[in-house]
Amino acid sequence: MLLGSLYLYAYWFFRPLLKWFLRKTTKLCELQRICYGEPSGAPRTLGVEFSLLHSRVQRIQEVIKILNERSENLDFIGKQTKSNIELAVISVIHVKKIHPTVHNQFIKSFGRTVEQIWGYKQLTFEVENLRRISYDSTNPGHEQMLIGLWERLNPNIPLESRITKQWQDIGFQGDDPKTDFRGMGLLGLHNLYYFSDYYQRVAQHVLLHSLHPVNGYTFAIVGINLTSLAYHLLQDGAAKTHMFNFAKGSPVMRHFHQLYCYLFCEFDRFWFDSKPKTIMDFTRIRDAFEAYIRTSLANPQTVFRINALVDTI
C-alpha cells in the first residue's frame, strides 16, 4: 500500500520531466506517441483521454470544457460531430506544433479517439435522461412499448387486459408492470423491449430458461436489475473498454442496448452455472456476476461479442 502510494507520488512528480525527455528524444508529443504506439480501440482512446485530462496546457483544458458542454447538450451528433473533432484537432496541432501534412495519420487517429471519448460522454447523458423519465400509463408511447414487449415474448398468447396477472408470466411482480420501472425509469423498459425486438428468439429462449421450475428467476425483474448494472458500468466508466473496442466511431444508444443484451444472455448462463438453490440466492449471484464482468472490463482488450454469444445460447 505504502509502496504503491510512493510510486504514484513519484510518477506524478516526474511525469512532466518524463514527457519533456521523451519529446526531445522521439520528436513526438505524448498524444502522438499514444496514437502511433497503441492499437486502435480502448488502449489508444483511453490513453488519449488520460493525456488530455491531465494536460497542463490552458488551451487544451478550454477545449475539453467546450466539448464537455457540447456532449452534455447532446450536440455531438451528425454534422456537429465533424466540427467538434476539428476543434480538438486544430487546437492540439497548434499547441503541440504538429505539422499536419507530415503527421496526417496522427490527425485521423486522434480525431477518432475524440469522437469516441465525447460520444461516450454524450451517451451517458442520453442514458441518464431516459432513466429519469418515469413510466406513465397515460402516455400512448409508453403503453405501446409495454404491450409490444409482451407481444414479442409471447406472440401466440394475447393479453386478457392491460392489468392482469399474466404479466407475472414474463417476470413482473404484480398485475401492473409500471410499478416495477420505478428504479430505472423508462430505461428499463427500453432495454427489455430492445432485447425482445432485436434478439426476439434469444429473448424467448432466455424467458423459457427463467421459467425453470427449480432454478428459475423472474425474467423482467432480473432484466431491470441488469439495466441498473449496465447503467452503472456506463456511468462510472467501466464500460469504456468494451465500448471503445466495439463501436467503430461514437458510442450511441444502440451500443448501450447491445451491451445490455450481452449482459442478459451472459447472466442467464452464469445463473444456471451457479446452481442456485432458491431465488433468495439472487443477490449473491448478481454480485458475483458484476465482479466477473468488471474483472473482464479491466482488460483493455475486452470486447463483448454479442453475435458469438447468441449463436451458442
Side-chain angles (χ1 to χ4, degrees), residues 78-187:
K79 295 179 179 179
Q80 295 165 302
T81 300
K82 184 178 179 180
S83 63
N84 291 331
I85 293 172
E86 288 177 348
L87 169 65
V89 169
I90 291 172
S91 298
V92 165
I93 62 175
H94 174 73
V95 168
K96 301 296 183 180
K97 298 180 173 57
I98 299 171
H99 197 292
T101 304
V102 175
H103 294 285
N104 184 54
Q105 184 55 48
F106 164 76
I107 291 175
K108 292 180 181 178
S109 298
F110 177 67
R112 175 61 61 85
T113 65
V114 170
E115 182 180 5
Q116 288 198 316
I117 291 166
W118 276 278
Y120 185 97
K121 286 183 180 292
Q122 177 166 284
L123 177 58
T124 64
F125 290 115
E126 289 183 274
V127 167
E128 175 63 15
N129 290 341
L130 193 56
R131 186 190 70 84
R132 290 182 177 182
I133 299 175
S134 299
Y135 185 90
D136 182 1
S137 57
T138 66
N139 186 310
H142 296 188
E143 289 285 282
Q144 184 177 2
M145 184 173 289
L146 179 60
I147 299 300
L149 172 65
W150 173 272
E151 292 173 344
R152 281 154 181 77
L153 291 174
N154 284 317
N156 299 319
I157 304 176
L159 275 174
E160 297 170 354
S161 63
R162 167 59 182 79
I163 298 178
T164 170
K165 291 185 181 297
Q166 283 180 288
W167 290 114
Q168 296 174 35
D169 295 342
I170 61 172
F172 285 104
Q173 289 181 325
D175 299 350
D176 191 349
K178 73 175 184 179
T179 59
D180 293 326
F181 292 118
R182 289 173 182 166
M184 285 289 110
L186 211 58
L187 182 64

Side-chain angles (χ1 to χ4, degrees), residues 145 147-157 170 190-209 219 257-258 260-262 264-265 306-307 310-311 313:
M145 184 173 289
I147 299 300
L149 172 65
W150 173 272
E151 292 173 344
R152 281 154 181 77
L153 291 174
N154 284 317
N156 299 319
I157 304 176
I170 61 172
H190 275 247
N191 275 164
L192 282 168
Y193 181 85
Y194 186 96
F195 184 37
S196 68
D197 185 53
Y198 199 84
Y199 297 109
Q200 184 177 11
R201 291 183 64 183
V202 178
Q204 290 172 346
H205 195 64
V206 172
L207 173 62
L208 186 62
H209 279 186
F219 178 90
H257 287 316
Q258 289 176 341
Y260 169 83
C261 293
Y262 174 88
F264 211 143
C265 293
I306 300 169
N307 290 336
V310 167
D311 289 342
I313 191 166

